[in-house]
Amino acid sequence: MPAMPPVLPHPAAAAPTEPADGTPAFSPLYQQIKGLLTRELQAGVWKPGEAIPSELELASRFKVSQGTVRKAIDELAAENLLVRRQGKGTFVATHAEQQVQYRFLRLMPDDGVPRDMARRLVDCQRLRAPAPVARALDCRSGDAVIQMRRLLLAGGRPVVFDEIWLPGSLFKGLTAERLAEYKGPMYGMFEAEFGVRMIRAVEKIRAVAADASSAPMLGLPVGSPLLSVERLSFTYGDRPVELRRGLYNTEQHFYRNELN
Amino acid sequence: MPAMPPVLPHPAAAAPTEPADGTPAFSPLYQQIKGLLTRELQAGVWKPGEAIPSELELASRFKVSQGTVRKAIDELAAENLLVRRQGKGTFVATHAEQQVQYRFLRLMPDDGVPRDMARRLVDCQRLRAPAPVARALDCRSGDAVIQMRRLLLAGGRPVVFDEIWLPGSLFKGLTAERLAEYKGPMYGMFEAEFGVRMIRAVEKIRAVAADASSAPMLGLPVGSPLLSVERLSFTYGDRPVELRRGLYNTEQHFYRNELN
DNA sequence: AAGTGGTCTAGACCACCTG
DNA sequence: AGGTGGTCTAGACCACTTA
């Protein structure tokens, strides 16, 4: 006698084949599980670096098979929200305690050996969002934002000049002092101190000429070609939470990208 | 009575746990299947755009379950070697007949609406590989290579000036005429006419100043900042088969990149 | 030894496409 | 109706980690 086949579709999967509005909207079970896990991550049920419950535990909690939980976790791991470690468990991804110091920084020295860079804070102030910044951060022009500028140095020489904009509402109490005293990557501090986790980002890259304000910062003559990297970073739910414009001196470094 | 459990490990999986040399070298079944499929792709058993055998067909051919074939194909699809189409089959990926005209070109106009660009061939000649080109293409300095230069134009204005180097051994018979007459993306021609398929690429991006030879090509004054995009493209087995250096005018375009 | 993720199987059913 | 990929299950066993 063969194993009992399921008699009914799984309750959570019982969605109409084609809703009235024409949108496809058929959601496999594992996608729903993925959504539930994402919401718990967003709510901070499990902190960055912590283990989430085991696959079997989650399977019994959600009343699905291990394989279904597994597929959900697979996708979250592919999106770098979770990290699997065989024999140990599945962990919430974190920007801190990471082998790569800057997960989003694609700059490499010409010899290809990544070395870690020193940081030097230039200034940090609260002010009202200029219109383009407000547009990018999806807040109102004039809302409180934090602007901060800093340098990254390789071998004592400035290589990157960053100007960073953060929504004031999410980063209350962020001051130059707290920035200065924190060790490790800035995104690590953001998630540990402010609960803001950068999930993904898009960059717009151009070549520009160094102007009178950026040239001295990088110790270059005005007019030198610089890589302009404008980055918009997102947290859960595709909410933009950081706008950053970096000017890179690419005389001894390059921006590395992989295509496939 | 429960279903008969497997009595022996699957023959193909019967690899020693720890070989003498210390390298881990445990290969799950689906990885071995993936390797077999990759070799058949490389050998050209199935041409770009064609369907490969169905999962059940492959499963019975390899004497494994459908799930194992499925996982192998999943990975190949994630690497863009195969394309799955529900209800139709699994197909060999191709650079031709693709919705995106240039799969590897990340350049976008400022308004974000991708338009297709015109091509203009500048020149195309065979010559002996200079040392740096030979090093990148993993051939001997002095070997025959094809050098070709061309422009991409948006709205009639030049935006990209490319210099492309190809190993002569793989592209016998490539001439300016054949390039000019071919419609569609160049990589599409490479795979259709020469059986060379670009699988992945790495790019090194810098900001440079337009020099006396590039500035006129792009209709810009000498010294204008340009994005320099050096791309090395690989085919199966990580063999480098194209070196390309593009100079992008980023006044009205930007290079778009996603991080996650 | 126990717990975790990783692999593999066999089988059922669903969604999609084509004759 | 029949074929293809896509989802889901239940269960076994393997590899890795920790105690």
Side-chain angles (χ1 to χ4, degrees):
Chain A
M1 179 173 167
M4 187 67 134
V7 195
L8 289 174
H10 193 285
T17 300
E18 181 73 18
D21 63 357
T23 48
F26 150 78
S27 185
L29 243 190
Y30 76 89
Q31 288 282 6
Q32 303 178 39
I33 305 294
K34 184 182 168 188
L36 293 175
L37 292 175
T38 302
R39 282 206 286 111
E40 305 213 45
L41 282 169
Q42 180 170 6
V45 175
W46 312 301
K47 302 291 179 214
E50 285 181 7
I52 71 170
S54 76
E55 296 180 352
L56 282 169
E57 158 71 17
L58 290 169
S60 84
R61 184 183 301 184
F62 293 133
K63 302 282 210 309
V64 299
S65 78
Q66 184 193 9
T68 300
V69 169
R70 190 167 180 75
K71 179 140 189 177
I73 292 179
D74 276 345
E75 294 210 349
L76 292 171
E79 294 168 21
N80 295 310
L81 295 187
L82 296 175
V83 177
R84 321 191 76 138
R85 284 186 219 144
Q86 179 169 155
K88 300 181 71 174
T90 300
F91 299 80
V92 181
T94 171
H95 285 272
E97 59 123 328
Q98 221 171 224
Q99 69 286 39
V100 190
Q101 192 171 14
Y102 300 100
R103 198 178 106 195
F104 283 175
L105 182 60
R106 301 295 194 88
L107 201 63
M108 299 269 293
D110 280 346
D111 60 27
V113 183
R115 278 174 287 275
D116 58 336
M117 298 174 128
R119 284 176 307 203
R120 182 181 302 161
L121 186 64
V122 175
D123 56 23
C124 172
Q125 52 190 313
R126 318 184 84 68
L127 32 79
R128 306 203 162 276
V133 173
R135 210 175 308 121
L137 291 180
D138 201 20
C139 63
R140 261 191 286 278
S141 175
D143 280 3
V145 292
I146 295 164
Q147 186 222 44
M148 132 189 167
R149 303 190 300 164
R150 61 120 183 226
L151 290 168
L152 294 180
L153 302 90
R157 306 174 65 86
V159 176
V160 174
F161 175 42
D162 271 329
E163 183 174 80
I164 301 172
W165 299 84
L166 302 165
S169 54
L170 292 177
F171 291 90
K172 292 187 197 303
L174 176 60
T175 61
E177 292 73 46
R178 288 184 69 182
L179 274 169
E181 73 197 23
Y182 194 90
K183 308 294 174 211
M186 196 165 56
Y187 285 174
M189 187 191 84
F190 289 173
E191 70 185 30
E193 309 276 319
F194 299 96
V196 177
R197 307 196 32 221
M198 307 302 183
I199 303 303
R200 66 177 199 95
V202 292
E203 293 189 331
K204 295 181 180 182
I205 304 170
R206 317 179 115 89
V208 300
D211 63 15
S213 71
S214 55
M217 286 292 184
L218 292 166
L220 292 171
V222 169
S224 305
L226 295 176
L227 208 61
S228 162
V229 180
E230 184 184 306
R231 179 195 298 170
L232 187 58
S233 301
F234 299 84
T235 189
Y236 297 102
D238 268 349
R239 276 209 306 150
V241 286
E242 182 203 50
L243 178 64
R244 175 186 292 219
R245 201 243 193 159
L247 293 173
Y248 298 4
N249 174 0
T250 55
E251 282 173 358
Q252 273 139 38
H253 294 75
F254 60 89
Y255 182 107
R256 183 178 202 279
N257 196 27
E258 308 212 0
L259 309 176
N260 44 27
Chain B
M1 178 175 171
M4 187 66 135
V7 195
L8 287 174
H10 193 287
T17 301
E18 182 72 18
D21 62 358
T23 46
F26 151 79
S27 186
L29 243 191
Y30 76 89
Q31 288 283 6
Q32 302 178 40
I33 305 295
K34 184 181 167 189
L36 293 176
L37 292 175
T38 302
R39 281 205 287 112
E40 303 214 44
L41 283 169
Q42 180 170 6
V45 175
W46 313 299
K47 303 292 179 213
E50 285 181 8
I52 71 170
S54 78
E55 296 180 353
L56 282 170
E57 158 72 18
L58 290 170
S60 84
R61 183 183 302 184
F62 293 132
K63 302 279 209 314
V64 299
S65 77
Q66 184 193 8
T68 299
V69 170
R70 189 165 180 75
K71 179 140 189 178
I73 292 179
D74 275 345
E75 295 209 349
L76 292 170
E79 294 168 22
N80 293 311
L81 295 187
L82 296 175
V83 177
R84 320 191 74 135
R85 285 185 217 144
Q86 178 169 151
K88 299 181 72 173
T90 300
F91 300 80
V92 181
T94 171
H95 285 271
E97 61 126 322
Q98 222 172 223
Q99 68 286 35
V100 190
Q101 191 170 13
Y102 300 101
R103 199 180 106 193
F104 284 174
L105 182 61
R106 300 297 193 86
L107 202 64
M108 299 268 294
D110 280 344
D111 60 27
V113 185
R115 278 175 287 276
D116 57 336
M117 297 174 131
R119 284 177 306 203
R120 182 182 302 161
L121 187 64
V122 175
D123 56 25
C124 173
Q125 51 189 314
R126 319 185 83 68
L127 33 80
R128 306 204 162 276
V133 173
R135 209 175 310 123
L137 291 180
D138 200 22
C139 62
R140 261 191 287 278
S141 175
D143 280 3
V145 291
I146 295 164
Q147 185 220 45
M148 135 186 158
R149 304 191 299 165
R150 62 120 183 225
L151 289 168
L152 294 180
L153 302 90
R157 305 174 65 86
V159 176
V160 174
F161 175 43
D162 272 328
E163 183 174 80
I164 301 172
W165 299 84
L166 302 165
S169 55
L170 292 177
F171 292 89
K172 293 187 195 303
L174 176 59
T175 60
E177 293 73 45
R178 286 183 70 183
L179 273 169
E181 73 197 22
Y182 194 88
K183 307 295 177 211
M186 196 165 59
Y187 285 173
M189 186 190 85
F190 288 172
E191 70 185 31
E193 308 277 318
F194 300 95
V196 177
R197 306 196 32 221
M198 306 302 182
I199 301 303
R200 67 176 198 94
V202 292
E203 293 188 331
K204 296 181 179 183
I205 305 170
R206 314 179 117 90
V208 300
D211 63 15
S213 70
S214 54
M217 287 292 185
L218 292 164
L220 292 171
V222 169
S224 305
L226 295 176
L227 209 61
S228 161
V229 181
E230 184 183 306
R231 179 194 299 170
L232 187 58
S233 302
F234 299 83
T235 189
Y236 297 101
D238 269 349
R239 276 208 309 150
V241 286
E242 183 203 50
L243 177 65
R244 175 186 294 220
R245 201 242 193 159
L247 293 171
Y248 297 4
N249 174 359
T250 55
E251 280 172 0
Q252 274 140 41
H253 294 75
F254 61 90
Y255 182 106
R256 183 180 202 279
N257 197 25
E258 310 213 358
L259 311 175
N260 42 30

